Amino acid sequence: MVRQVCGGDDENLRVLERLTGLACRPVGTSIALEGDPDEVRLAERLLRHLHQLAQRGVHLGSADIERAIKTAQRDSSADLLSLLGAPLLTTRRGRRIVPKTQAQKAYVDAIDDCDVVFGIGPAGTGKTYLAMVKAVDSLLKKQVQRIVLCRPAVEAGESLGFLPGTLADKVDPYLRPLYDALHDLLDFDQVGRLMERGAIEVAPLAFMRGRTLNDSFVILDEAQNTTSDQMKMFLTRLGFGSVAVVTGDVTQIDLPRHEKSGLKHALNIVANIPGVSVTHFKKEDVVRHPLVQAIVEAYEVFEAQHPDGAAH
């Protein structure tokens, strides 16, 4: 069991050493830890959780270990076992999907507990993807009868009629990210069959007007680009047995300057209503390839040093 905890070639221990400054080495059926007492306590807690997961047959990669360590360093009370434990869903490629940060865990818990959930934060924090995971899981477990996915087609505006092709052709580019997430979670043919029978519907926000959505899992993506009227219209579509998840980044609003974001407006009105939950994601919740994260941080340092954008 120690081998599973340490990882292949003690990879997990090397990650632990790099992030905590500890000296870690397997000794028989134990692992010796030397270094800062606070980091030792953190490492002991993490290794106990890894041992418990290994007993359940769950084996984690170094990226999972790294995220767990960083989470524990930011928040000593973080529930690492929940973050690393049972997957929300296993993709068609066998990849386990689990919340990777405390905010992600709070978000998926809110989706379980509330009927309307807002996920607010920057790109890469898993807002839409985790909502999609919960939607697919609910559909497969027959907790809902259909999934409805929608986005505002802001850039198209009144010019949709001048674009070539059918209406579906015109709005498809705005909905493509939702299709991509679906195809990552379900087999391509399975998605096709579910869409044919109406169990999965992907549509622009304008198509929601006048409808009542019962027994549905409804996701509104890129909600920062809704108007106040559109957001009110969407939130009042919710029927019995349904869940609505609204995702957006209030720093990336593409509306004309005279239009106020319906997402920001709604948060001021409905956030404190019982049954409504709001999860705010931060930069630390961005889950990306480590190299991409390093590139993002390098750009932030450069932009802080060169506010005029000049390169030297």
Side-chain angles (χ1 to χ4, degrees):
M1 198 64 70
V2 172
R3 182 179 299 175
Q4 286 92 329
V5 171
C6 295
D9 296 325
D10 294 340
E11 183 180 24
N12 294 345
L13 296 188
R14 301 292 80 81
V15 173
L16 194 57
E17 288 180 328
R18 174 167 56 85
L19 294 178
T20 64
L22 298 175
C24 311
R25 66 181 189 281
V27 180
T29 58
S30 302
I31 297 172
L33 304 170
E34 297 178 5
D36 180 82
D38 289 337
E39 297 292 356
V40 167
R41 283 191 289 272
L42 181 154
E44 287 176 339
R45 185 158 66 98
L46 176 67
L47 292 171
R48 280 197 300 271
H49 292 332
L50 292 179
H51 183 262
Q52 289 176 264
L53 293 171
Q55 289 178 317
R56 301 178 192 173
V58 176
H59 305 295
L60 304 173
S62 58
D64 298 307
I65 305 301
E66 181 166 339
R67 279 189 286 267
I69 294 169
K70 289 181 177 179
T71 296
Q73 288 174 328
R74 289 194 300 268
D75 180 3
S76 60
S77 64
D79 185 353
L80 299 183
L81 195 57
S82 294
L83 288 177
L84 298 170
L88 302 173
L89 193 73
T90 301
T91 70
R92 59 191 179 90
R93 299 185 183 91
R95 182 164 59 89
R96 300 170 67 256
I97 300 174
V98 297
K100 299 182 185 302
T101 69
Q102 283 290 91
Q104 287 191 352
K105 182 65 169 60
Y107 181 55
V108 297
D109 287 346
I111 293 174
D112 287 334
D113 297 336
C114 300
D115 291 333
V116 176
V117 176
F118 290 84
I120 313 299
T125 51
K127 307 182 301 294
T128 303
Y129 191 80
L130 287 174
M132 193 76 78
V133 169
K134 295 297 291 182
V136 169
D137 185 53
S138 296
L139 183 66
L140 295 179
K141 290 179 178 176
K142 302 186 185 303
Q143 294 170 344
V144 296
Q145 293 182 3
R146 61 179 166 174
I147 299 171
V148 180
L149 312 171
C150 57
R151 297 180 82 180
V154 170
E155 296 86 351
E158 296 301 320
S159 63
L160 273 176
F162 297 98
L163 296 174
T166 65
L167 182 58
D169 294 330
K170 296 171 185 179
V171 300
D172 189 66
Y174 302 101
L175 305 175
R176 180 52 50 189
L178 299 177
Y179 286 110
D180 291 343
L182 266 180
H183 290 138
D184 188 51
L185 299 170
L186 297 171
D187 181 83
F188 189 88
D189 292 336
Q190 187 179 13
V191 171
R193 290 191 299 271
L194 290 169
M195 293 186 75
E196 282 180 9
R197 75 168 199 247
I200 296 179
E201 177 184 347
V202 185
L205 177 60
F207 284 20
M208 297 298 105
R209 191 172 298 278
R211 303 177 62 183
T212 300
L213 301 171
N214 294 315
D215 300 312
S216 302
F217 197 116
V218 193
I219 299 173
L220 172 58
D221 191 32
E222 298 289 341
Q224 74 275 6
N225 289 327
T226 62
T227 65
S228 298
D229 287 343
Q230 287 174 329
M231 179 60 75
K232 180 180 177 181
M233 178 272 291
F234 173 80
L235 293 174
T236 54
R237 298 309 92 199
L238 197 66
F240 294 105
S242 292
V243 174
V245 179
V246 179
T247 69
D249 179 357
V250 293
T251 69
Q252 298 291 326
I253 297 172
D254 298 318
L255 292 167
R257 289 187 178 181
H258 67 276
E259 289 278 10
K260 293 184 179 179
S261 169
L263 177 58
K264 296 178 71 172
H265 186 245
L267 290 174
N268 291 327
I269 296 173
V270 306
N272 294 322
I273 295 176
V276 175
S277 175
V278 180
T279 300
H280 289 279
F281 294 91
K282 300 178 181 178
K283 182 181 68 174
E284 291 78 17
D285 297 304
V286 174
V287 179
R288 292 174 173 148
H289 187 289
L291 181 58
V292 175
Q293 188 65 47
I295 291 170
V296 171
E297 291 172 357
Y299 267 95
E300 289 179 347
V301 171
F302 175 84
E303 289 165 0
Q305 296 173 344
H306 305 88
D308 59 352
H312 301 286

